[in-house]
């Protein structure tokens, strides 16, 4: 159900504006943070997820902070494809939740990226809503961050087209993911969107004058293209050239910096400790989905791959599955590595698996409960997404207008 903005590209990746009331049930109002202010400070999927926030309009110069916040702005998003699993949550979403207290954050569901490969038309809308609800259920606070759907802010596509005119085709041909996916699918089954989606990703980021973008190792190439494209457009159309056309001059886009997430949240497959947990894996037994029932979680842990070594330990290269399961246990229990190592060193798998199962169920149960409450009140979710899109558009429209002006278009009257 989701890949982070810099996680389709964007794995990838990494909140919604404040409202005073949504007409939600009193139970839901107690559970979810409401929105009480008018300003907000985003990856990103963003892996096939992506990955990719305040929504106050940019100030006259790109280098200046928002008038309502001195926080740096972060953008990140996730694709509404497949199911959000433990790896997405621990590797990206959990980190995004912590970012909303420090940065101005924009989180969005990158549904436009979800159509670069064959997809289920009947499921796209539902998957988009499900992903948004899970964002909120995982702790994205709508009083601190904006949550919206990419296609609800049409400036994403407008800016992509403008950026496409300045993007050398050679830059896109060198993208590793395009080469890999097109080779697997075959030229006749690959649309142009698979080649050009990095330009859309650049639009997603540059549209909001983002300072930082959460990225993983597999996303660095895409962010580098975004940075190069920002610098290219600034050189071609910014500065005095823009000023001669009646603009303010200077930089058109901020050049975003990567925000490297904390180490230690790389969750591996339950069936292969050397492969990342992935929604694209054939077997559902390879992953824990955030909405898996207690019985499903217990069955997956019971059947997950282990080894025949005595005791349990971290960092033994001959025991990747052991390291993975201990790491999951450490993260979801908020214990230190030393505490887990001491607790589990004398355990066997028959003892440890029930302990891990209970910890997973206890950790995911509140998320599942909040998700069910959010989905039961469609008016609340619709309002969150509408407000998020409106706030995001306030920023995006300013950026697109500046680009149109700098590129010499006739202004609409």
């Amino acid at each position: 159900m989701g890949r982070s903005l810099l996680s389709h590209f964007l794995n990838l990746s990494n909140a919604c504006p404040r409202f005073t009331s949504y007409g939600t049930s009193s139970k839901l109002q107690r559970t979810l943070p409401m929105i009480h202010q008018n300003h907000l400070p985003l990856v990103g999927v963003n892996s096939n997820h992506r990955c990719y926030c305040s929504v106050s309009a940019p100030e006259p110069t790109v280098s200046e902070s928002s008038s309502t916040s001195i926080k740096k702005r972060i953008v990140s998003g996730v694709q509404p494809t497949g199911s959000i699993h433990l790896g997405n949550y621990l590797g990206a979403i959990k980190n995004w939740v912590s970012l909303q207290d420090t940065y101005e954050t924009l989180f969005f569901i990158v549904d436009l990226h979800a159509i670069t490969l064959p997809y289920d038309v009947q499921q796209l809308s539902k998957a988009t809503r499900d992903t948004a609800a899970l964002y909120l259920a995982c702790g994205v606070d709508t009083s601190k961050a904006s949550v919206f759907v990419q296609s609800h802010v049409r400036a994403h596509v407008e800016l992509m087209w403008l950026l496409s005119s300045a993007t050398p085709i050679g830059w896109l041909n060198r993208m590793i993911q395009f080469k890999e996916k097109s080779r697997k699918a075959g030229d006749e089954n690959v649309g142009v969107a698979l080649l050009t989606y990095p330009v859309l990703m650049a639009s997603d980021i540059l549209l909001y004058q983002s300072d930082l973008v959460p990225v993983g190792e597999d996303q660095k190439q895409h962010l580098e293209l975004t940075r190069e494209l920002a610098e290219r457009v600034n050189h071609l159309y910014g500065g005095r050239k823009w000023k001669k056309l009646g603009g303010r001059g200077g930089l058109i886009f901020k050049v975003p910096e990567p925000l490297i997430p904390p180490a230690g949240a790389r969750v591996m497959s339950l069936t292969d400790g050397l492969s990342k947990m992935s929604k694209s894996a054939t077997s559902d037994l390879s992953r824990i989905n955030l909405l898996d029932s207690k019985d499903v979680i217990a069955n997956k842990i019971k059947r997950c791959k282990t080894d025949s070594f005595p005791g349990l330990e971290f960092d033994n290269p001959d025991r990747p599955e052991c390291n993975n399961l201990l790491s999951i246990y450490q993260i979801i229990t908020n214990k230190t590595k030393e505490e887990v190592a001491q607790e589990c060193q004398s355990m066997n798998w028959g003892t440890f698996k029930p302990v891990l199962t209970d910890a997973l169920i206890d950790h995911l149960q509140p998320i599942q409960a909040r998700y069910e409450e959010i989905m039961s009140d469609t008016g609340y979710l619709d309002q969150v997404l509408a407000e998020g899109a409106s706030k995001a558009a306030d920023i995006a429209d300013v950026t697109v207008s500046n680009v149109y002006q700098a590129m010499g278009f006739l202004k609409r009257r």
Side-chain angles (χ1 to χ4, degrees):
M1 189 164 40
R3 288 182 293 181
S4 161
L5 174 61
L6 278 169
S7 185
H8 160 59
F9 38 96
L10 268 171
N11 170 350
L12 119 140
S13 267
N14 304 347
C16 160
R18 314 132 171 66
F19 324 113
T20 54
S21 174
Y22 295 127
T24 57
S25 65
S26 59
K27 183 178 181 182
L28 184 57
Q29 289 174 336
R30 290 195 301 271
T31 304
L32 297 169
M34 290 290 98
I35 299 167
H36 299 298
Q37 304 175 26
N38 295 321
H39 68 278
L40 294 174
L42 213 161
V43 209
V45 223
N46 235 192
S47 60
N48 213 8
H49 350 297
R50 294 71 108 225
C51 249
Y52 307 110
C53 104
S54 165
V55 285
S56 51
E59 288 298 307
T61 62
V62 173
S63 61
E64 293 177 357
S65 300
S66 164
S67 61
T68 58
S69 173
I70 60 173
K71 294 180 179 180
K72 289 187 175 182
R73 180 178 293 153
I74 290 179
V75 298
S76 191
V78 63
Q79 286 198 34
T81 53
S83 297
I84 292 181
H85 54 68
L86 195 65
N88 303 144
Y89 171 62
L90 297 180
I93 299 176
K94 200 167 184 287
N95 290 329
W96 300 342
V97 170
S98 65
L99 294 175
Q100 66 189 356
D101 294 322
T102 307
Y103 301 96
E104 181 186 6
T105 48
L106 290 161
F107 298 131
F108 50 103
I109 294 84
V110 290
D111 54 342
L112 294 173
H113 286 287
I115 67 172
T116 57
L117 291 172
Y119 68 101
D120 188 337
V121 176
Q122 302 299 323
Q123 289 298 311
L124 180 59
S125 177
K126 179 182 184 301
T128 300
R129 293 181 60 83
D130 289 349
T131 302
L134 270 173
Y135 262 50
L136 301 177
C138 287
V140 172
D141 186 342
T142 55
S143 69
K144 300 175 182 178
S146 290
V147 178
F148 61 98
V149 178
Q150 181 189 30
S151 64
H152 293 181
V153 180
R154 297 187 177 182
H156 285 261
V157 177
E158 281 191 76
L159 182 59
M160 178 201 176
W161 182 252
L162 298 174
L163 293 178
S164 294
S165 71
T167 306
I169 190 67
W171 289 12
L172 301 180
N173 285 333
R174 76 188 187 204
M175 292 291 102
I176 295 173
Q177 288 195 17
F178 169 73
K179 292 178 181 179
E180 293 177 346
K181 292 180 179 179
S182 61
R183 183 167 55 249
K184 291 179 181 178
D187 290 344
E188 295 301 318
N189 297 315
V190 172
V192 173
L194 185 60
L195 177 66
T196 60
Y197 85 81
V199 184
L200 177 58
M201 189 189 72
S203 172
D204 296 335
I205 297 169
L206 300 178
L207 198 56
Y208 299 104
Q209 304 294 351
S210 312
D211 296 290
L212 299 164
V213 181
V215 297
E217 287 296 323
D218 57 345
Q219 254 104 79
K220 289 182 179 179
Q221 187 183 39
H222 293 94
L223 181 58
E224 191 56 36
L225 182 141
T226 298
R227 288 169 49 82
E228 291 175 352
L229 191 50
E231 292 171 345
R232 181 177 175 86
V233 172
N234 286 340
H235 173 72
L236 290 175
Y237 304 108
R240 293 182 179 179
K241 300 172 186 175
W242 183 14
K243 199 163 188 175
K244 288 180 179 179
L245 294 172
R248 68 161 192 266
L251 299 179
I252 299 171
F253 296 122
K254 281 186 179 179
V255 180
E257 297 291 338
L259 180 65
I260 308 300
R266 184 178 173 86
V267 180
M268 311 306 285
S269 167
L270 298 181
T271 56
D272 179 4
L274 296 176
S275 300
K276 281 183 64 176
M277 186 174 288
S278 171
K279 65 182 58 64
S280 61
T282 304
S283 175
D284 192 56
L285 293 174
S286 67
R287 55 189 168 266
I288 299 292
N289 301 306
L290 293 193
L291 299 180
D292 279 346
S293 67
K294 296 178 181 180
D295 290 342
V296 169
I297 292 173
N299 182 57
K300 288 181 177 180
I301 296 302
K302 182 179 180 180
R303 299 178 61 181
C304 71
K305 184 179 179 181
T306 55
D307 56 47
S308 57
F309 289 86
L312 304 179
E313 59 185 332
F314 283 102
D315 301 326
N316 184 335
D318 295 324
R319 307 186 67 185
E321 288 79 20
C322 183
N323 186 74
N324 183 45
L325 295 177
L326 288 176
S327 297
I328 292 173
Y329 180 66
Q330 175 198 338
I331 297 170
I332 62 175
T333 58
N334 289 318
K335 295 181 179 180
T336 66
K337 190 173 183 178
E338 293 70 23
E339 288 172 336
V340 172
Q342 183 175 2
E343 176 187 353
C344 302
Q345 60 182 347
S346 299
M347 287 186 180
N348 57 36
W349 291 115
T351 304
F352 176 69
K353 284 188 174 183
V355 172
L356 176 58
T357 297
D358 290 343
L360 282 168
I361 291 172
D362 289 344
H363 190 86
L364 295 180
Q365 192 280 327
I367 293 175
Q368 294 175 354
R370 289 197 294 271
Y371 169 82
E372 293 299 333
E373 291 182 16
I374 294 167
M375 293 300 290
S376 69
D377 192 338
T378 57
Y380 169 79
L381 184 56
D382 289 342
Q383 187 68 29
V384 165
L385 296 176
E387 289 287 338
S390 176
K391 295 285 188 175
D394 288 343
I395 302 173
D397 290 346
V398 172
T399 298
V400 170
S401 293
N402 286 340
V403 176
Y404 273 127
Q405 182 185 48
M407 292 181 70
F409 284 85
L410 175 67
K411 185 176 182 179
R412 181 178 179 179
R413 301 296 181 182

